[in-house]
Structures are given as C-alpha cells and as structure tokens.
Coordinates of all heavy atoms in Angstrom, one line a residue:
M161 N 0.5 -13.5 15.0 CA 1.8 -12.8 14.8 C 1.8 -11.9 13.5 O 1.2 -12.3 12.5 CB 2.9 -14.0 14.6 CG 4.3 -13.5 14.3 SD 5.4 -14.9 14.1 CE 6.3 -14.5 12.6
K162 N 2.3 -10.8 13.7 CA 2.3 -9.8 12.6 C 3.3 -10.2 11.5 O 4.3 -10.8 11.8 CB 2.7 -8.4 13.2 CG 2.0 -7.3 12.4 CD 2.5 -5.9 12.9 CE 2.5 -4.8 11.9 NZ 2.9 -5.2 10.5
C163 N 3.0 -9.9 10.3 CA 3.9 -10.2 9.2 C 5.3 -9.6 9.4 O 5.4 -8.4 9.9 CB 3.3 -9.7 7.8 SG 4.4 -10.0 6.4
V164 N 6.3 -10.3 9.1 CA 7.7 -9.9 9.3 C 8.2 -8.9 8.2 O 9.3 -8.3 8.4 CB 8.7 -11.1 9.5 CG1 8.3 -11.9 10.7 CG2 8.7 -11.9 8.2
V165 N 7.5 -8.8 7.1 CA 7.9 -7.9 6.0 C 7.6 -6.5 6.5 O 6.5 -6.2 6.8 CB 7.2 -8.3 4.7 CG1 7.5 -7.3 3.6 CG2 7.5 -9.7 4.3
Q166 N 8.6 -5.7 6.4 CA 8.5 -4.3 6.8 C 7.4 -3.6 6.1 O 7.4 -3.6 4.8 CB 9.8 -3.6 6.7 CG 10.0 -2.5 7.7 CD 11.4 -1.9 7.7 OE1 12.1 -2.1 6.7 NE2 11.8 -1.2 8.7
G167 N 6.5 -2.9 6.8 CA 5.5 -2.1 6.2 C 4.2 -2.9 5.8 O 3.2 -2.3 5.4
C168 N 4.3 -4.3 5.9 CA 3.1 -5.1 5.5 C 2.2 -5.2 6.7 O 2.6 -5.5 7.8 CB 3.6 -6.5 5.1 SG 2.2 -7.5 4.7
P169 N 0.9 -4.9 6.5 CA -0.1 -4.9 7.6 C -0.6 -6.3 7.9 O -1.5 -6.5 8.8 CB -1.2 -4.0 7.1 CG -1.2 -4.2 5.6 CD 0.3 -4.5 5.2
G170 N -0.2 -7.3 7.2 CA -0.8 -8.7 7.3 C -0.5 -9.3 8.7 O 0.4 -9.0 9.4
E171 N -1.4 -10.3 9.0 CA -1.2 -11.1 10.2 C -1.0 -12.5 9.7 O -1.7 -13.1 8.9 CB -2.5 -11.2 11.1 CG -2.7 -10.0 12.0 CD -1.8 -10.0 13.2 OE1 -1.5 -11.1 13.7 OE2 -1.4 -8.9 13.7
M172 N 0.2 -13.1 10.1 CA 0.5 -14.5 9.7 C -0.5 -15.5 10.1 O -1.0 -15.5 11.2 CB 1.9 -14.9 10.2 CG 3.0 -13.9 10.0 SD 3.5 -13.7 8.4 CE 4.8 -14.9 8.2
E173 N -0.9 -16.4 9.2 CA -1.8 -17.5 9.5 C -1.1 -18.8 9.4 O -0.2 -19.0 8.5 CB -3.0 -17.5 8.5 CG -3.7 -16.2 8.3 CD -4.7 -16.3 7.2 OE1 -4.7 -17.3 6.3 OE2 -5.6 -15.4 7.1
E174 N -1.6 -19.8 10.2 CA -1.1 -21.2 10.0 C -1.7 -21.8 8.8 O -2.9 -21.9 8.7 CB -1.4 -22.0 11.3 CG -0.5 -21.7 12.4 CD -0.8 -22.5 13.7 OE1 -1.1 -23.7 13.5 OE2 -0.7 -22.0 14.8
R175 N -0.8 -22.3 7.9 CA -1.3 -23.0 6.7 C -0.4 -24.1 6.4 O 0.7 -24.2 6.9 CB -1.2 -22.0 5.5 CG -2.3 -21.0 5.6 CD -2.5 -20.4 4.2 NE -3.1 -19.1 4.2 CZ -3.1 -18.2 3.3 NH1 -2.4 -18.4 2.2 NH2 -3.7 -17.0 3.4
R176 N -0.8 -25.0 5.5 CA 0.0 -26.1 5.0 C 0.4 -25.6 3.5 O -0.5 -25.3 2.8 CB -0.8 -27.4 4.9 CG -1.2 -27.9 6.3 CD -0.1 -28.6 6.9 NE -0.3 -28.9 8.3 CZ 0.3 -29.9 9.0 NH1 1.2 -30.7 8.4 NH2 0.1 -30.1 10.3
I177 N 1.7 -25.6 3.3 CA 2.1 -25.2 2.0 C 2.8 -26.2 1.2 O 3.2 -27.3 1.7 CB 3.0 -23.9 2.1 CG1 4.3 -24.3 2.8 CG2 2.3 -22.8 2.8 CD1 5.4 -23.2 2.7
V178 N 3.0 -26.0 -0.1 CA 3.8 -26.8 -1.0 C 5.1 -26.1 -1.2 O 5.1 -24.9 -1.6 CB 3.1 -27.1 -2.3 CG1 3.9 -27.9 -3.3 CG2 1.8 -27.9 -2.0
H179 N 6.2 -26.7 -1.0 CA 7.5 -26.1 -1.2 C 8.3 -26.8 -2.3 O 8.4 -28.0 -2.3 CB 8.3 -26.1 0.1 CG 9.6 -25.4 0.1 ND1 9.7 -24.1 -0.2 CD2 10.9 -25.9 0.2 CE1 11.0 -23.8 -0.2 NE2 11.7 -24.9 0.0
T180 N 8.8 -26.0 -3.3 CA 9.5 -26.6 -4.4 C 11.0 -26.1 -4.3 O 11.1 -24.9 -4.1 CB 8.9 -26.2 -5.7 OG1 7.5 -26.6 -5.7 CG2 9.6 -26.9 -6.9
F181 N 11.9 -26.9 -4.4 CA 13.3 -26.5 -4.4 C 14.1 -27.4 -5.2 O 13.7 -28.5 -5.7 CB 13.8 -26.4 -3.0 CG 13.8 -27.7 -2.2 CD1 14.9 -28.5 -2.0 CD2 12.6 -28.2 -1.7 CE1 14.9 -29.7 -1.3 CE2 12.6 -29.4 -1.0 CZ 13.7 -30.1 -0.8
L182 N 15.4 -27.1 -5.5 CA 16.3 -27.9 -6.3 C 17.3 -28.6 -5.3 O 17.9 -27.9 -4.5 CB 17.1 -27.1 -7.3 CG 16.2 -26.4 -8.4 CD1 17.1 -25.5 -9.3 CD2 15.5 -27.4 -9.3
R183 N 17.4 -29.9 -5.5 CA 18.5 -30.6 -4.8 C 19.3 -31.4 -5.8 O 18.7 -32.1 -6.6 CB 17.8 -31.6 -3.8 CG 18.7 -32.4 -2.9 CD 19.3 -31.7 -1.7 NE 18.5 -31.1 -0.7 CZ 17.9 -31.8 0.3 NH1 18.1 -33.1 0.5 NH2 17.2 -31.1 1.2
N184 N 20.6 -31.1 -5.9 CA 21.4 -31.7 -7.0 C 20.8 -31.4 -8.3 O 20.8 -32.2 -9.2 CB 21.6 -33.2 -6.8 CG 22.2 -33.6 -5.5 OD1 23.0 -32.8 -4.9 ND2 21.8 -34.7 -4.9
R185 N 20.3 -30.2 -8.5 CA 19.7 -29.6 -9.7 C 18.5 -30.3 -10.1 O 18.0 -30.2 -11.3 CB 20.8 -29.6 -10.8 CG 22.0 -28.7 -10.5 CD 23.1 -28.9 -11.5 NE 22.8 -28.2 -12.7 CZ 23.5 -28.4 -13.8 NH1 24.6 -29.1 -13.8 NH2 23.2 -27.7 -14.9
K186 N 17.9 -31.2 -9.3 CA 16.6 -31.8 -9.6 C 15.5 -31.1 -8.8 O 15.7 -30.9 -7.6 CB 16.7 -33.3 -9.2 CG 17.5 -34.2 -10.1 CD 17.3 -35.6 -9.7 CE 18.4 -36.5 -10.2 NZ 18.6 -37.7 -9.5
P187 N 14.4 -30.8 -9.4 CA 13.3 -30.2 -8.7 C 12.7 -31.2 -7.7 O 12.5 -32.4 -8.0 CB 12.3 -29.9 -9.8 CG 12.9 -30.1 -11.1 CD 14.1 -31.0 -10.8
M188 N 12.4 -30.7 -6.5 CA 11.8 -31.6 -5.5 C 10.6 -30.8 -4.9 O 10.6 -29.6 -4.8 CB 12.8 -31.8 -4.3 CG 14.2 -32.1 -4.7 SD 14.5 -33.8 -4.2 CE 14.0 -33.9 -2.6
V189 N 9.6 -31.5 -4.7 CA 8.4 -30.9 -4.1 C 8.0 -31.6 -2.8 O 8.0 -32.8 -2.7 CB 7.2 -31.2 -5.1 CG1 5.9 -30.5 -4.6 CG2 7.5 -30.7 -6.5
V190 N 7.8 -30.7 -1.8 CA 7.4 -31.2 -0.5 C 6.1 -30.6 -0.2 O 5.9 -29.4 -0.2 CB 8.4 -30.9 0.6 CG1 8.0 -31.4 2.0 CG2 9.8 -31.5 0.3
E191 N 5.1 -31.4 0.0 CA 3.7 -30.9 0.3 C 3.4 -31.0 1.7 O 4.0 -31.7 2.5 CB 2.7 -31.6 -0.6 CG 2.6 -33.1 -0.4 CD 1.6 -33.7 -1.3 OE1 1.1 -33.1 -2.2 OE2 1.3 -34.9 -1.1
D192 N 2.3 -30.3 2.1 CA 1.8 -30.5 3.5 C 2.7 -30.0 4.5 O 2.8 -30.5 5.6 CB 1.4 -31.9 3.7 CG 0.2 -32.0 4.7 OD1 -0.6 -31.1 4.7 OD2 0.1 -33.0 5.4
L193 N 3.5 -28.9 4.2 CA 4.5 -28.4 5.2 C 3.8 -27.4 6.0 O 3.1 -26.4 5.5 CB 5.6 -27.6 4.4 CG 6.9 -28.4 4.1 CD1 7.8 -27.4 3.4 CD2 7.5 -29.0 5.3
P194 N 3.8 -27.5 7.3 CA 3.2 -26.5 8.2 C 4.0 -25.2 8.1 O 5.3 -25.2 8.2 CB 3.3 -27.1 9.6 CG 4.3 -28.1 9.5 CD 4.4 -28.6 8.1
A195 N 3.4 -24.1 7.9 CA 4.1 -22.8 7.8 C 3.2 -21.6 8.3 O 2.0 -21.8 8.4 CB 4.4 -22.5 6.3
L196 N 3.8 -20.5 8.6 CA 3.1 -19.3 8.8 C 3.1 -18.5 7.6 O 4.2 -18.2 7.0 CB 3.7 -18.5 10.0 CG 3.5 -19.1 11.4 CD1 4.3 -18.3 12.4 CD2 2.0 -19.1 11.8
V197 N 1.9 -18.1 7.0 CA 1.9 -17.4 5.8 C 1.1 -16.1 5.9 O 0.1 -16.1 6.6 CB 1.1 -18.3 4.7 CG1 1.1 -17.6 3.4 CG2 1.8 -19.6 4.5
C198 N 1.6 -15.1 5.3 CA 1.0 -13.8 5.4 C 0.0 -13.7 4.2 O 0.3 -13.9 3.1 CB 2.0 -12.6 5.2 SG 1.2 -11.0 5.0
P199 N -1.3 -13.5 4.5 CA -2.3 -13.5 3.4 C -2.3 -12.2 2.6 O -2.8 -12.2 1.5 CB -3.7 -13.6 4.2 CG -3.4 -13.0 5.6 CD -1.9 -13.3 5.8
V200 N -1.6 -11.2 3.1 CA -1.4 -10.0 2.3 C -0.3 -10.1 1.3 O -0.5 -9.8 0.1 CB -1.2 -8.8 3.2 CG1 -1.1 -7.5 2.5 CG2 -2.4 -8.6 4.2
C201 N 0.9 -10.4 1.7 CA 2.0 -10.4 0.8 C 2.5 -11.8 0.4 O 3.3 -11.9 -0.5 CB 3.2 -9.6 1.3 SG 4.0 -10.4 2.7
G202 N 2.0 -12.8 1.1 CA 2.3 -14.2 0.7 C 3.6 -14.7 1.3 O 4.1 -15.8 1.0
Y203 N 4.3 -13.9 2.1 CA 5.5 -14.3 2.7 C 5.3 -15.5 3.7 O 4.3 -15.5 4.4 CB 6.1 -13.1 3.5 CG 7.5 -13.4 4.0 CD1 8.6 -13.2 3.1 CD2 7.8 -13.8 5.3 CE1 9.9 -13.4 3.6 CE2 9.1 -14.0 5.7 CZ 10.1 -13.8 4.9 OH 11.4 -14.1 5.3
A204 N 6.1 -16.5 3.6 CA 6.0 -17.7 4.4 C 7.2 -17.9 5.3 O 8.3 -17.7 4.9 CB 5.8 -18.9 3.5
V205 N 6.9 -18.3 6.5 CA 7.9 -18.6 7.5 C 7.8 -20.1 7.9 O 6.7 -20.5 8.3 CB 7.8 -17.7 8.7 CG1 8.9 -18.0 9.7 CG2 7.9 -16.2 8.3
L206 N 8.9 -20.8 7.9 CA 8.9 -22.2 8.3 C 9.5 -22.2 9.7 O 10.5 -21.5 10.0 CB 9.7 -23.1 7.4 CG 9.1 -23.2 6.0 CD1 10.1 -24.1 5.1 CD2 7.8 -23.8 6.0
D207 N 9.0 -23.1 10.6 CA 9.5 -23.3 11.9 C 10.9 -23.9 11.8 O 11.2 -24.7 10.8 CB 8.6 -24.2 12.7 CG 8.7 -24.0 14.2 OD1 8.2 -23.0 14.6 OD2 9.3 -24.9 14.8
L208 N 11.8 -23.7 12.7 CA 13.1 -24.2 12.7 C 13.2 -25.7 12.6 O 13.9 -26.3 11.8 CB 13.9 -23.7 13.9 CG 15.4 -23.4 13.7 CD1 15.5 -22.4 12.5 CD2 16.1 -22.9 14.9
H209 N 12.3 -26.4 13.3 CA 12.3 -27.9 13.3 C 11.8 -28.4 12.0 O 12.2 -29.5 11.5 CB 11.6 -28.5 14.5 CG 10.1 -28.5 14.4 ND1 9.3 -27.4 14.8 CD2 9.2 -29.4 13.9 CE1 8.0 -27.7 14.6 NE2 7.9 -28.9 14.0
V210 N 10.9 -27.6 11.3 CA 10.4 -28.0 10.0 C 11.6 -27.8 9.0 O 11.8 -28.7 8.1 CB 9.2 -27.1 9.6 CG1 8.8 -27.4 8.1 CG2 8.1 -27.4 10.5
L211 N 12.3 -26.7 9.1 CA 13.5 -26.5 8.2 C 14.5 -27.6 8.4 O 15.1 -28.1 7.4 CB 14.1 -25.1 8.6 CG 13.6 -23.9 7.8 CD1 14.3 -22.7 8.3 CD2 13.7 -24.1 6.3
D212 N 14.8 -28.0 9.6 CA 15.8 -29.0 9.9 C 15.4 -30.3 9.2 O 16.2 -31.0 8.6 CB 15.9 -29.3 11.4 CG 16.8 -28.2 12.1 OD1 17.5 -27.5 11.4 OD2 16.8 -28.1 13.3
A213 N 14.1 -30.6 9.4 CA 13.6 -31.9 8.7 C 13.7 -31.8 7.2 O 14.0 -32.8 6.5 CB 12.1 -32.1 9.2
L214 N 13.5 -30.6 6.7 CA 13.5 -30.4 5.2 C 15.0 -30.6 4.7 O 15.2 -31.2 3.7 CB 13.0 -29.0 4.9 CG 12.6 -28.6 3.5 CD1 11.5 -29.6 3.0 CD2 12.2 -27.2 3.5
F215 N 15.9 -30.0 5.5 CA 17.3 -30.1 5.1 C 17.8 -31.6 5.2 O 18.7 -32.0 4.5 CB 18.2 -29.2 5.9 CG 18.1 -27.8 5.5 CD1 17.9 -26.8 6.4 CD2 18.1 -27.4 4.1 CE1 17.7 -25.4 6.1 CE2 18.0 -26.1 3.8 CZ 17.8 -25.1 4.7
A216 N 17.2 -32.3 6.2 CA 17.6 -33.7 6.4 C 17.0 -34.7 5.4 O 17.5 -35.8 5.4 CB 17.2 -34.1 7.9
L217 N 16.0 -34.2 4.7 CA 15.4 -35.1 3.7 C 16.4 -35.5 2.6 O 17.0 -34.7 2.0 CB 14.2 -34.3 3.1 CG 13.4 -35.1 2.1 CD1 12.5 -36.1 2.7 CD2 12.5 -34.1 1.3
D218 N 16.6 -36.8 2.5 CA 17.5 -37.3 1.6 C 16.7 -37.9 0.4 O 16.1 -39.0 0.5 CB 18.4 -38.4 2.2 CG 19.5 -38.9 1.2 OD1 19.4 -38.5 0.0 OD2 20.4 -39.6 1.7
P219 N 16.8 -37.3 -0.8 CA 16.0 -37.8 -1.9 C 16.4 -39.1 -2.4 O 15.7 -39.8 -3.1 CB 16.1 -36.7 -3.0 CG 17.4 -36.0 -2.6 CD 17.5 -36.1 -1.1
E220 N 17.7 -39.5 -2.1 CA 18.2 -40.8 -2.5 C 17.6 -42.0 -1.7 O 17.5 -43.1 -2.2 CB 19.7 -40.9 -2.4 CG 20.4 -39.7 -3.2 CD 20.1 -39.8 -4.7 OE1 20.0 -40.9 -5.3 OE2 20.1 -38.7 -5.3
T221 N 17.3 -41.7 -0.5 CA 16.8 -42.8 0.4 C 15.3 -42.7 0.7 O 14.6 -43.7 0.9 CB 17.6 -42.9 1.7 OG1 17.5 -41.6 2.3 CG2 19.0 -43.2 1.4
E222 N 14.9 -41.4 0.7 CA 13.4 -41.2 1.1 C 12.6 -41.6 -0.1 O 12.9 -41.4 -1.3 CB 13.2 -39.7 1.4 CG 12.0 -39.4 2.1 CD 12.0 -39.8 3.6 OE1 13.2 -39.9 4.2 OE2 11.0 -40.0 4.2
R223 N 11.5 -42.2 0.2 CA 10.6 -42.7 -0.9 C 9.5 -41.6 -1.1 O 8.8 -41.2 -0.2 CB 9.9 -44.0 -0.4 CG 9.2 -44.8 -1.4 CD 8.3 -45.8 -0.7 NE 7.3 -46.4 -1.6 CZ 7.5 -47.5 -2.2 NH1 8.6 -48.2 -2.1 NH2 6.6 -48.0 -3.1
P224 N 9.4 -41.1 -2.4 CA 8.4 -40.1 -2.7 C 7.0 -40.6 -2.5 O 6.7 -41.8 -2.8 CB 8.6 -39.8 -4.2 CG 9.9 -40.4 -4.5 CD 10.2 -41.5 -3.6
V225 N 6.1 -39.8 -1.9 CA 4.7 -40.3 -1.7 C 3.9 -40.3 -3.0 O 3.0 -41.0 -3.2 CB 4.0 -39.4 -0.7 CG1 4.5 -39.7 0.7 CG2 4.0 -37.9 -1.0
R226 N 4.4 -39.4 -4.0 CA 3.8 -39.4 -5.3 C 4.8 -38.6 -6.2 O 5.6 -37.9 -5.7 CB 2.4 -38.9 -5.4 CG 2.1 -37.6 -4.8 CD 0.6 -37.4 -4.6 NE 0.3 -36.2 -3.9 CZ -0.4 -35.2 -4.5 NH1 -0.7 -35.2 -5.8 NH2 -0.7 -34.2 -3.8
R227 N 4.5 -38.6 -7.5 CA 5.4 -37.9 -8.4 C 4.6 -36.8 -9.1 O 3.4 -36.9 -9.3 CB 6.0 -38.8 -9.4 CG 6.9 -39.8 -8.8 CD 7.7 -40.7 -9.8 NE 8.6 -41.6 -9.1 CZ 9.8 -41.3 -8.7 NH1 10.3 -40.1 -9.0 NH2 10.5 -42.1 -8.0
A228 N 5.3 -35.7 -9.5 CA 4.6 -34.6 -10.1 C 5.2 -34.3 -11.5 O 6.5 -34.5 -11.6 CB 4.7 -33.4 -9.3
P229 N 4.4 -34.0 -12.5 CA 5.0 -33.6 -13.8 C 5.7 -32.3 -13.7 O 5.3 -31.4 -12.9 CB 3.8 -33.5 -14.7 CG 2.7 -33.3 -13.8 CD 3.0 -33.9 -12.5
V230 N 6.8 -32.1 -14.4 CA 7.5 -30.8 -14.5 C 7.3 -30.2 -15.8 O 7.5 -30.8 -16.9 CB 9.0 -31.0 -14.2 CG1 9.8 -29.7 -14.3 CG2 9.2 -31.7 -12.9
F231 N 6.9 -28.9 -15.8 CA 6.6 -28.3 -17.1 C 7.6 -27.1 -17.3 O 8.2 -26.6 -16.4 CB 5.2 -27.7 -17.1 CG 4.1 -28.7 -16.9 CD1 3.5 -29.0 -15.7 CD2 3.7 -29.5 -18.0 CE1 2.6 -30.0 -15.5 CE2 2.8 -30.5 -17.9 CZ 2.2 -30.7 -16.6
R232 N 7.7 -26.7 -18.6 CA 8.4 -25.5 -18.9 C 7.6 -24.7 -19.9 O 7.1 -25.3 -20.9 CB 9.8 -25.8 -19.5 CG 10.7 -24.6 -19.7 CD 12.1 -25.1 -20.2 NE 12.8 -25.8 -19.1 CZ 13.9 -26.5 -19.3 NH1 14.3 -26.7 -20.6 NH2 14.6 -27.0 -18.3
L233 N 7.3 -23.5 -19.6 CA 6.5 -22.7 -20.5 C 7.3 -22.2 -21.7 O 8.5 -21.8 -21.5 CB 5.9 -21.4 -19.8 CG 4.9 -21.6 -18.7 CD1 4.5 -20.3 -18.2 CD2 3.7 -22.4 -19.3
S234 N 6.7 -22.2 -22.9 CA 7.4 -21.6 -24.0 C 6.7 -20.3 -24.2 O 5.6 -20.2 -24.7 CB 7.3 -22.5 -25.3 OG 6.0 -22.9 -25.5
L235 N 7.4 -19.2 -23.9 CA 6.9 -17.9 -23.9 C 7.4 -17.1 -25.1 O 8.6 -17.1 -25.4 CB 7.2 -17.1 -22.6 CG 6.6 -17.7 -21.3 CD1 7.2 -17.0 -20.1 CD2 5.1 -17.6 -21.3
A236 N 6.5 -16.4 -25.8 CA 6.9 -15.5 -26.9 C 7.6 -14.3 -26.2 O 7.2 -13.9 -25.2 CB 5.7 -15.1 -27.7
P237 N 8.6 -13.8 -26.9 CA 9.3 -12.7 -26.3 C 8.4 -11.5 -26.2 O 7.5 -11.3 -27.1 CB 10.4 -12.3 -27.4 CG 10.4 -13.4 -28.4 CD 9.2 -14.3 -28.2
A238 N 8.4 -10.8 -25.1 CA 7.6 -9.6 -24.9 C 7.9 -8.6 -26.0 O 9.0 -8.3 -26.3 CB 7.7 -9.1 -23.5
S239 N 6.8 -7.9 -26.6 CA 7.1 -6.9 -27.6 C 6.8 -5.5 -27.0 O 6.2 -5.4 -26.0 CB 6.2 -7.1 -28.8 OG 4.9 -7.3 -28.4
Ligands
ZN261 ZN1 2.9 -9.6 4.7

C-alpha cells in the first residue's frame, strides 16, 4: 500500500511499533502494536480493530506487562 501522506513516495510496511499516549494525564506505553509504517516519512497507520482494542484498554484493570522509566530532558535555551 502506498503511503497516505500526500507527495510521499513511500510504500507502507507491516511493522510492530511502540505507541505512547496519555490517559488521565499519565503516560502509557503499548508495545508490539501491529501497524503499517512508511519507511520514508515514518507515518504510521493502525488498523481499526487495533485502535478499538487500544481505546478499550483500561489502565486501572489491565495489568502492565512491564514498567518503563519516564524521563524529562533539561535543555539549555537555544542561543
Ligand atoms: Zn510516507
């Protein structure tokens, strides 16, 4: 499948991705998500049933498979 981004010549590839998002202002990480990814621009498309499962994921009841550290960079102001 051709990349959906207008003007991008890439062909989408099946890959497993890591998706990070905020739920109740807490960072959540979901790994091993099947997705179509464009190797040229990096655009990723999730299948509808994958999205449904992602939205249905309840962090209060679902048991995390592992935990990840969360970092914040301290960056000097650009001069
Ligand atoms: Zn692309």
Side-chain angles (χ1 to χ4, degrees):
M161 177 178 132
K162 209 184 154 320
C163 178
V164 295
V165 175
Q166 207 173 17
C168 177
E171 280 285 329
M172 309 292 270
E173 303 174 346
E174 283 182 35
R175 287 201 202 159
R176 297 276 169 158
I177 63 167
V178 175
H179 180 62
T180 307
F181 59 101
L182 295 175
R183 179 79 59 85
N184 301 330
R185 298 171 75 189
K186 286 186 197 156
M188 315 250 310
V189 184
V190 179
E191 63 182 6
D192 210 26
L193 266 183
L196 286 174
V197 181
C198 173
V200 177
C201 70
Y203 190 82
V205 178
L206 296 177
D207 205 76
L208 217 54
H209 78 272
V210 175
L211 271 179
D212 281 347
L214 198 57
F215 287 131
L217 180 73
D218 183 353
E220 302 300 325
T221 57
E222 197 77 22
R223 192 192 165 97
V225 290
R226 55 197 173 110
R227 297 187 177 273
V230 178
F231 298 100
R232 189 175 287 166
L233 291 180
S234 49
L235 295 172
S239 50

